[in-house]
């Protein structure tokens, strides 16, 4: 079993500095270039399947990768980004103005709660289901998802406190890989690998 988690390329939402959550943004021109470079890199591997979050920025990244590999990606709704509720579509400055108490919590290193958001326990429960499904598959699976999703999956694999924010940084089109050891335990063998992007790295991760 080999699971390669790919964050989507830079989106228009990333480029404009807004919280995305479940809002559907397409890739920026940089994001398209990142996805094509990632596709060229992954084309050298033996890949058995590609799955993707159905949100546009991930689905388009997956389509560019799949086209290079002559494959068809399958949508996997459990890989969708965390629903940020009422702060979706807002910039950091707008959030601080509209939700000052939550912004203060974020500034002190605690994970804030925003009105209408999905809820961390619900988010983590669906990602555990997705991880169980993906790691039960034989061969190599490419899963295209989001920064929040990949970060949370790393928490789950390593047993890190799921409520600790910022433990895993995930750049656009970076690769994170999970395998099993001889005892059957999940192992994080690489994280946030962006060497294939050759100077096109972008790191904005605002959901």
């Amino acid at each position: 079993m080999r699971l390669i988690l790919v964050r989507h390329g830079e989106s228009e939402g990333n480029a404009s500095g807004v919280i995305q959550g479940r809002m559907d943004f397409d890739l920026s021109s940089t994001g398209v270039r990142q996805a094509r470079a990632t596709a060229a890199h992954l084309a050298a591997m033996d890949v058995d399947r590609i799955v993707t979050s159905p949100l546009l920025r991930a689905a388009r990244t997956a389509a560019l990768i799949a086209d290079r590999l002559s494959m068809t990606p399958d949508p996997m709704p459990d890989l969708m980004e965390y629903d940020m509720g009422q702060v979706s579509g807002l910039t950091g400055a707008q959030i601080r103005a509209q939700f000052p108490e939550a912004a203060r919590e974020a500034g002190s290193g605690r994970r804030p709660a925003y009105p209408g958001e999905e809820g961390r326990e619900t988010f983590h429960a669906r990602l555990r289901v997705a991880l169980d499904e993906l790691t039960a598959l034989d061969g190599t699976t490419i899963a295209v998802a989001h920064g929040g999703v990949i970060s949370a999956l790393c928490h789950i694999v390593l047993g890190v406190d799921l409520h600790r924010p910022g433990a895993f940084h995930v750049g656009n089109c970076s690769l994170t890989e999970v395998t099993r050891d001889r005892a059957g335990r999940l192992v994080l063998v690489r994280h946030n690998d962006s060497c294939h992007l050759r100077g096109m790295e972008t790191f904005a991760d605002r959901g």
Side-chain angles (χ1 to χ4, degrees), residues 117-167:
E117 69 177 279
E118 180 176 1
R120 290 289 161 180
E121 297 305 322
T122 300
F123 180 55
H124 298 149
R126 71 171 163 90
L127 290 184
R128 284 191 174 95
V129 171
L131 184 63
D132 286 346
E133 183 176 339
L134 291 169
T135 56
L137 298 170
D138 292 329
T140 298
T141 302
I142 293 173
V144 182
H146 307 269
V149 168
I150 295 171
S151 174
L153 289 172
C154 289
H155 280 78
I156 294 169
V157 169
L158 296 182
V160 178
D161 180 5
L162 286 162
H163 295 280
R164 178 188 172 190

Side-chain angles (χ1 to χ4, degrees), residues 7-24:
R7 187 185 173 201
H8 60 79
E10 183 191 65
S11 68
E12 293 172 345
N14 292 149
S16 60
V18 302
I19 296 289
Q20 296 178 111
R22 294 286 179 82
M23 296 185 74
D24 239 351

